[in-house]
Amino acid sequence: MYTVVLVIQQCMLLIGIHSLPIINLTHFLDRGIGANSLSGEPSSTARIMTVAMLCLLRIYEYQLKHKPTITEIYKLAKYPVIGYIWSILTMGSGTGFVALGLLLLYFLQVKYVWTALFIFCIGSIVIPYIDFVPLQRAYDTFLATLTMDKDVIIGTDGSAASRITPLVNTITNLNLLNWHTWFGYGVDYVNNKGGYMARITGGYIGLIGEYGLISFIVMQIAAFKCFIRNFFSIETLLWIFLFAATFANVAYVWGAMMLMTATKYFTTQKIQQQ
């Protein structure tokens, strides 16, 4: 459904219609044929579609009793795969390329490590010469993130910074000897310091600044209990890098958690029955 709506929106953009609320085309992104599909923005669509694709992979994994290869999943779910790839590549979201990269790690096997490294090196050389804004945004943001300097990240992509700098702050600035680190400063502490920019420059993942590290730890226990298979999994990577390991009060976040929870529940039930 996400892909169908996205394609309809893209057709409207091609003929010059930039606003059509009946199909959720409510704002023009000026990113070619990039559009938001059923979500508020393309990055939200990228997240929920990537989680849905991972859940599909997990279901086939338990049906086949082994991880499906790229060839197998294409044969089993041809149209969902084509729809996902088209959506990620054309929706105009840098987050989409990050999500796709994380999802592709599912297919990585030890015997393909050197091949993957070779492709990564070639990609690092070729990508800077590809004139495609979302891809360039993802690439530039990745390089900026490697510096672990929030000023560099903000200067590179202010939108991506809102999701990356809280993680950087948590890694580099969290003071475990501070009482407030464990118990927080209270509701809207970061917002009251300066709104959006304060959240970027001084926020932490999981709203640690507001509610404290103890609350964050309890949140992670609930997350891993409900919908994450184990720590070393694709679910963990998506949870950290796409959702900032936070129960945000946003529809797509809870939708993604519901998908992963249902998938984990039913696949676990099948294992127990076997």
Side-chain angles (χ1 to χ4, degrees), residues 191-210:
N191 280 339
N192 292 335
K193 292 179 64 176
Y196 179 75
M197 284 307 299
R199 292 201 303 272
I200 295 180
T201 58
Y204 298 94
I205 62 172
L207 299 177
I208 292 175
E210 287 83 351

Side-chain angles (χ1 to χ4, degrees), residues 34 67 127 199 260:
K67 278 189 174 184
I127 288 176
R199 292 201 303 272
M260 289 192 288

